[in-house]
Amino acid sequence: MSHEMTDPETLAANAREKLESIRSREAPLTTRDRRAIERQEMPSQAPEVRRSNMCEVALGLTPEQAQIEAMRCIQCKNQPCVEGCPVRIDIPGFIKQIAEGNFQGAIDIIKQNSLLPAVCGRVCPQEEQCQAVCTVGKMAKDVDKAVSIGRLERFAADWEREQGTFEVPEVKPATGKKVAVIGSGPASITVAADVRREGHQVTVFEAFHRPGGVMIYGIPEFRLPKSIVDLEIQTLTKMGVEIKTDFVVGRTRKLTDLMKKDGYDAVFVGTGAGLPKFMNVEGENLVGVFSANEYLTRSNLMKAYEKELADTPIYPSRKVAVLGGGNVAMDSARTALRLGAQEVHIIYRRTMNEMPARVEEVHHAQEEGVVFDLLQNPVRILGDDHGCVKAIEVQRFELGEPDASGRRSPVPIPGSEFMMEVDTVIVAIGNESNPLIRQTTDGLTVNKRGNIIVDDNCKTSIDGVYAGGDIVLGAATVILAMGEGRRAAAAINEMLASKA
Amino acid sequence: MPLILEKKQLSADVFRLRVQAPLIAEERKAGQFIILQVNDGFGERIPLTIADADPAEGSITLIFQRVGKTTRLLSELNEGDNIAHLVGPLGKPTHVEKVGHVVVVGGGIGVAPSYPIAQAMKQAGNKLTVIMGARNKDLIIMEDEMRAIADDLIICTDDGSVGRKALVTEPLKELCESAEKPDLVIAIGPPIMMKFCAKTTEPYAVHTLVSLNTIMVDGTGMCGGCRVNVGGEVRFVCVDGPEFDGHKVDFDNMMSRLKSYKEQEHSKSCKLDAAIKAKEAEMAQ
Ligand SMILES: Cc1cc2nc3c(=O)[nH]c(=O)nc-3n(C[C@H](O)[C@H](O)[C@H](O)COP(=O)(O)OP(=O)(O)OC[C@H]3O[C@@H](n4cnc5c(N)ncnc54)[C@H](O)[C@@H]3O)c2cc1C
Ligand SMILES: Cc1cc2nc3c(=O)[nH]c(=O)nc-3n(C[C@H](O)[C@H](O)[C@H](O)COP(=O)(O)OP(=O)(O)OC[C@H]3O[C@@H](n4cnc5c(N)ncnc54)[C@H](O)[C@@H]3O)c2cc1C
Ligand code: SF4
Ligand code: SF4
Ligand code: FES
């Protein structure tokens, strides 16, 4: 796709014209008319420009574009899209408001179900959720032609933020009860807000010096501006939530001591899936091999991309191999480009179809020049005399016979190994749950992968202790973490209400 | 923001800070460390061992050597200043029990982190021998503190300006051969010293713990930057350590990893030097 199609000025001008012509019509839009409206492209920074800056790639629909895009929705009676959304946002409802130009009305509807629309509109895997089942896309037999629900959600949230009219949610009178929230990712932010609203005192404990979880240290600025996350945190603070950074529960204080010594009536654990997996191949400890977590944390949280200002160094790379095919791999590859690497390869064992990354991120990575080496898998990493990475040995794969599930899984081709010279390898094959809390909390039940086991109300094996997000689900998504947070908060509120 | 209650320069490049941190003072055990950040915006996170703590006062003691930009910035803070961020206690505490004769070897700045461990081992009823090593007399730190708790204190310097003119491995070897063969050796200091201490004790099958000082970012097991090879397995120093069986650590890999950012760190340090010189020149005018 050439970038002309996403050039902001052209897109805005086209949309103004289009909207005029729709408005000047006599008859209301029929379903047929709506289906004939083309999907509005997202205005974006041109690839050759953005690959050398950290600013956001997707610039957001213009108000005219948003209205036109909203008109594509045919307001299905059965609302399949709502079922596709993990938090059941009233999608036709808010889209109708946008189509009518009532942007405030739209955001009010969204906020009944979602606390982080500016974030989810940007990072949700929409093509697998709400948009996957959208009737408009189904009728066109192309999920890319579905109504851009995520972009519209983002539009409404950004519009509200830009108005500066954002109101701090109301907080009920103090109940005298105290709730501790561990971690400050999307699950925890949601719990903190929902519990605080009921008038309980809430303290968020975050191990890092800056709150926000993966949204701050993992997902890069060019995909999710940190100012958006900071604003969500500020809202919490304005609601009277106390945020204690530099506080590692399990070390600075044990979870059970928060209840026993510090008098918290309930605890929510939202500590995420922060334990990087490695491949266990030879050479993985060489200088120049990083977990994606380390690479991204150095760049995002520690701001290493500001090379002149930041004290935290980042490895100077020329040619990089990123192992994996998820969002984390895309983020690492695109960060490496922006930090000055000349050539970046994604090495992935399967094909494009199985890549778990959001479609938009894969697409953006391709536009920026990331090379996709599919059906390939690393065998070992080779070092030079100083213990630094100099090459990676890779084996080719092919798709084998369909297995029981009908999926053709990749099988290695014997003798197909070859060497690729690289100076950096970033391992982005996923995260497991961090063991710190379970190691330091007696009686907390976890499954064999180390995820905390909870019941339907997000309650753990310990009374008063709830958990949600990646620490329960394994590495999942922002919206699922938020959804669990809502459920946990409701259960905590109910539990506290029943305690006189 | 943790407040600096007291600052003292112990030798040319070594400083001691007493810092307000009540929760850490209450929870910390021998062998644990903190991670601090001198300034908020662009500061680096660096690990330092908790050299001592006073739970009643709510303070911890840090002893550090000025080696690069962040330790330089830290050394410029004074009593009454705040450290932007300080988190801990991190790492697994030292396993302290009565085993008989414990030899603690501290090299250079490594004497500081070995002190709380030596103290805990003594309190557990062990016979305690301390071997301290440094390049010369001026670089010996915490001699009085160590003397107060050790049954035997052996000081070695490279130039013989105080104590024995020897490397710490010499008296260590003698002890291993003596009637008072150690039951446990704990070696803390530069990687090269720990490597050779472990090599020294290996033929005598004396269990030897080393405390590794890898590069760290988060200190909670999230990044894997601190990983080392121990007995063929990947271990994270910040959560699985910092102490490991010295006979199993791949020191050569660890030492090459420590140099990952050498050039960048050097240039940061040089820039800071230049900035400080410029400032001094300005103030002299
Ligand atoms: C690089 C990357 C890209 C991603 N891209 C997407 C995407 O595009 N779309 C999407 O939907 N999802 C994406 N995800 C996944 C998504 O970010 C996570 O599913 C989500 O953030 C999980 O939220 P959480 O609240 O469970 O925890 P997290 O966001 O992981 O936050 C946990 C927080 O708890 C803190 N913590 C941990 N232990 C302790 C402790 N003992 N004491 C105090 N604090 C502690 C951590 O420091 C952290 O800040 C991505 C993840 C990564 C790593
Ligand atoms: C668990 C742990 C406990 C520690 N305890 C102490 C302590 O009590 N007192 C103390 O003075 N230091 C201690 N260190 C080392 C201390 O963290 C480093 O000296 C510090 O990070 C250097 O930062 P800098 O910016 O000043 O120097 P940099 O500019 O980062 O580095 C300057 C020079 O020091 C080397 N270096 C960098 N990081 C380390 C490191 N982690 N260890 C050794 N050399 C390094 C570099 O290769 C470079 O040559 C500890 C390290 C760990 C991991
Ligand atoms: S929250 Fe995610 S799944 Fe739900 S409507 Fe928004 S983009 Fe779709
Ligand atoms: S499925 Fe698509 S067209 Fe139907 S209501 Fe939802 S968004 Fe609108
Ligand atoms: S410092 Fe990040 S895992 Fe140890």
Side-chain angles (χ1 to χ4, degrees), chain A residues 184-434:
Chain A
S184 59
S188 299
I189 291 177
T190 309
V191 171
D194 281 1
V195 170
R196 177 67 192 135
R197 270 200 268 227
E198 286 302 303
H200 308 305
Q201 191 186 324
V202 177
T203 311
V204 171
F205 298 96
E206 167 56 48
F208 268 130
H209 53 276
R210 201 171 156 195
V214 170
M215 299 186 293
I216 286 288
Y217 75 71
I219 305 180
E221 177 79 17
F222 57 81
R223 209 148 69 76
L224 178 62
K226 302 303 149 228
S227 56
I228 290 176
V229 184
D230 287 343
L231 200 75
E232 299 299 342
I233 302 286
Q234 278 167 27
T235 308
L236 287 185
T237 322
K238 284 191 192 142
M239 288 170 73
V241 171
E242 184 190 14
I243 298 180
K244 285 199 177 165
T245 52
D246 303 315
F247 197 113
V248 184
V249 176
R251 290 269 185 247
T252 313
R253 206 62 153 170
K254 289 208 174 59
L255 188 154
T256 39
D257 285 346
L258 288 175
M259 300 175 86
K260 275 189 224 137
K261 290 191 186 166
D262 303 331
Y264 286 94
D265 299 288
V267 178
F268 175 78
V269 187
T271 47
L275 185 79
K277 278 197 229 171
F278 285 91
M279 317 250 322
N280 293 320
V281 298
E282 185 188 325
E284 218 160 26
N285 279 359
L286 290 165
V287 176
V289 184
F290 304 93
S291 76
N293 285 0
E294 180 182 358
Y295 196 75
L296 291 171
T297 301
R298 282 179 181 272
S299 177
N300 297 329
L301 180 74
M302 307 311 294
K303 303 186 192 146
Y305 64 86
E306 301 261 20
K307 286 183 194 163
E308 288 302 312
L309 292 170
D311 290 342
T312 303
I314 192 133
Y315 203 63
S317 309
R318 200 181 52 78
K319 189 167 168 188
V320 182
V322 178
L323 314 181
N327 287 322
V328 186
M330 299 306 137
D331 286 344
S332 306
R334 298 171 69 199
T335 297
L337 274 184
R338 284 162 173 75
L339 291 171
Q342 284 156 25
E343 202 177 316
V344 179
H345 291 249
I346 293 233
I347 301 181
Y348 183 57
R349 200 161 63 98
R350 298 168 179 271
T351 72
M352 222 47 147
N353 295 333
E354 290 88 20
M355 277 208 176
R358 293 180 75 225
V359 170
E360 188 178 332
E361 310 314 331
V362 177
H363 178 71
H364 279 157
Q366 280 174 318
E367 282 185 335
E368 288 162 14
V370 172
V371 185
F372 284 76
D373 296 337
L374 303 171
L375 286 169
Q376 294 183 14
N377 205 38
V379 181
R380 62 187 171 125
I381 305 165
L382 292 90
D384 63 15
D385 299 342
H386 307 288
C388 300
V389 174
K390 69 168 186 197
I392 183 164
E393 185 177 332
V394 184
Q395 182 169 35
R396 292 187 200 280
F397 277 57
E398 61 189 349
L399 287 181
E401 294 301 315
D403 60 14
S405 68
R407 255 190 9 159
R408 298 178 64 193
S409 56
V411 287
I413 307 176
S416 66
E417 296 86 352
F418 66 98
M419 289 291 179
M420 176 158 85
E421 257 184 58
V422 292
D423 52 35
T424 306
V425 176
I426 303 173
V427 186
I429 57 165
N431 282 301
E432 287 169 347
S433 64
N434 192 313

Side-chain angles (χ1 to χ4, degrees), chain B residues 192-206:
Chain B
I192 192 80
M193 178 210 98
M194 294 192 279
K195 174 179 166 172
F196 282 101
C197 284
K199 277 216 156 124
T200 303
T201 58
E202 202 167 9
Y204 305 97
V206 174

Side-chain angles (χ1 to χ4, degrees), chain B:
Chain B
M1 289 211 291
L3 177 73
I4 298 177
L5 302 170
E6 186 195 31
K7 174 185 178 180
K8 190 161 189 266
Q9 187 155 8
L10 301 184
S11 73
D13 277 319
V14 177
F15 298 80
R16 187 178 73 199
L17 296 180
R18 199 153 49 82
V19 182
Q20 205 170 50
L23 274 184
I24 301 177
E26 187 183 328
E27 299 278 338
R28 75 95 206 195
K29 298 205 171 62
Q32 290 188 298
F33 63 95
I34 54 95
I35 285 189
L36 64 77
Q37 213 178 337
V38 177
N39 45 45
D40 197 36
F42 292 98
E44 184 180 24
R45 294 167 65 96
I46 65 159
L48 295 173
T49 306
I50 304 167
D52 207 348
D54 182 344
E57 187 195 42
S59 71
I60 59 170
T61 300
L62 305 173
I63 297 178
F64 67 96
Q65 183 166 20
R66 188 160 59 187
V67 294
K69 180 162 180 188
T70 307
T71 44
R72 160 71 61 88
L73 291 173
L74 187 62
S75 75
E76 277 162 13
L77 296 183
N78 289 307
E79 283 169 25
D81 287 344
N82 292 295
I83 298 173
H85 295 283
L86 191 132
V87 58
L90 302 170
K92 286 205 170 123
T94 309
H95 180 71
V96 180
E97 65 176 334
K98 187 169 177 197
V99 291
H101 182 201
V102 175
V103 176
V104 170
V105 189
I109 183 73
V111 171
S114 72
Y115 176 71
I117 298 172
Q119 206 179 22
M121 286 297 174
K122 178 68 194 174
Q123 271 165 14
N126 291 293
K127 174 180 157 66
L128 176 70
T129 302
V130 174
I131 305 176
M132 285 171 43
R135 283 204 310 279
N136 60 52
K137 183 166 177 273
D138 296 334
L139 299 177
I140 292 286
I141 55 166
M142 302 184 80
E143 185 184 337
D144 294 343
E145 286 91 334
M146 283 296 196
R147 197 173 294 285
I149 56 170
D151 295 296
D152 263 317
L153 179 72
I154 305 167
I155 293 179
C156 304
T157 48
D158 293 3
D159 63 357
S161 48
V162 62
R164 276 173 72 167
K165 182 174 189 299
L167 295 173
V168 289
T169 44
E170 256 182 56
L172 181 61
K173 184 159 193 250
E174 289 160 17
L175 281 169
C176 287
E177 284 166 347
S178 74
E180 299 216 52
K181 183 174 155 184
D183 297 292
L184 174 67
V185 170
I186 301 170
I188 306 182
I192 192 80
M193 178 210 98
M194 294 192 279
K195 174 179 166 172
F196 282 101
C197 284
K199 277 216 156 124
T200 303
T201 58
E202 202 167 9
Y204 305 97
V206 174
H207 187 43
T208 301
L209 289 176
V210 293
S211 181
L212 303 183
N213 49 359
T214 50
I215 293 175
M216 291 189 179
V217 184
D218 58 306
T220 63
M222 192 278 287
C223 77
C226 62
R227 67 193 188 278
V228 285
N229 211 318
V230 182
E233 272 182 61
V234 173
R235 306 298 296 277
F236 290 2
V237 173
C238 69
V239 285
D240 302 324
E243 283 163 26
F244 294 98
D245 182 343
H247 297 149
K248 293 190 179 151
V249 172
D250 180 347
F251 282 104
D252 295 337
N253 176 251
M254 175 187 151
M255 286 189 270
S256 69
R257 288 183 60 81
L258 265 176
K259 287 190 222 126
S260 299
Y261 298 100
K262 202 163 183 175
E263 274 170 39
Q264 286 150 294
E265 268 151 3
H266 184 68
S267 91
K268 287 257 149 63
S269 223
C270 292
K271 277 191 201 143
L272 185 67
D273 274 346
I276 290 170
K277 287 222 179 78
K279 186 123 191 244
E280 279 169 0
E282 201 180 283
M283 299 216 315
Q285 275 180 0

Side-chain angles (χ1 to χ4, degrees), chain A residues 84-87 89 91 114 120-121 124 126 129-130 149-150 153 479:
Chain A
C85 168
V87 297
I89 291 178
I91 295 169
S114 173
C120 294
C124 251
Q126 294 99 0
Q129 301 179 352
C130 51
I149 302 168
E153 182 178 338
I479 189 71

